[in-house]
Amino acid sequence: MVQLTDSAVNKVKDFEAKNAAYQGKAFRVYVQGGGCQGFSYGFAFDQPRDGDEVNKTGDIEVLIDPSSAKYLNGAKIDYVEDMKGAGFVVENPNTTGSCGCGNSVSF
């Protein structure tokens, strides 16, 4: 199961409110191949698909596909704005390493 902080939930709601194409869709979190460590996280607004894990956090639905679920179990997602920029940050107990910029992880 994935947990979103209040900051992340609020940002998802903000994105949805400002973009009509996102309205009525759930927030998808996934792991994809790529980056210097082999994997990276992705975020999108999407419709549920067969086999998706559906988590309710606050009043948003979070979708996770079966392939990503094994990598994301126990992860915490926050939304951070600081001098380095703004974006979703994943604290994941399943990773074995990450790159210096924090955009890529290994499992």
Side-chain angles (χ1 to χ4, degrees):
M1 182 169 185
V2 171
Q3 177 186 14
L4 272 71
T5 65
D6 290 343
S7 178
V9 169
N10 290 336
K11 193 60 179 182
V12 170
K13 288 181 187 178
D14 184 53
F15 282 139
E16 184 178 16
K18 291 180 178 177
N19 190 326
Y22 298 160
Q23 294 172 6
K25 295 183 179 179
F27 184 63
R28 181 174 295 281
V29 179
Y30 57 95
V31 174
Q32 61 188 357
C36 56
Q37 290 292 314
F39 294 95
S40 61
Y41 298 110
F43 309 95
F45 284 86
D46 200 4
Q47 298 293 339
R49 300 179 197 154
D50 287 341
D52 278 347
E53 181 180 303
V54 181
N55 296 307
K56 190 102 169 156
T57 301
D59 55 353
I60 65 166
E61 285 188 336
V62 179
L63 306 175
I64 302 171
D65 66 87
S67 297
S68 297
K70 63 184 173 190
Y71 298 115
L72 292 169
N73 189 34
K76 180 179 177 181
I77 301 171
D78 193 11
Y79 187 81
V80 177
E81 294 182 22
D82 61 20
M83 302 261 310
K84 294 186 238 176
F88 291 103
V89 176
V90 181
E91 292 179 30
N92 191 335
N94 304 304
T95 60
T96 58
S98 64
C99 64
C101 67
N103 290 329
S104 180
V105 294
S106 58
F107 294 98

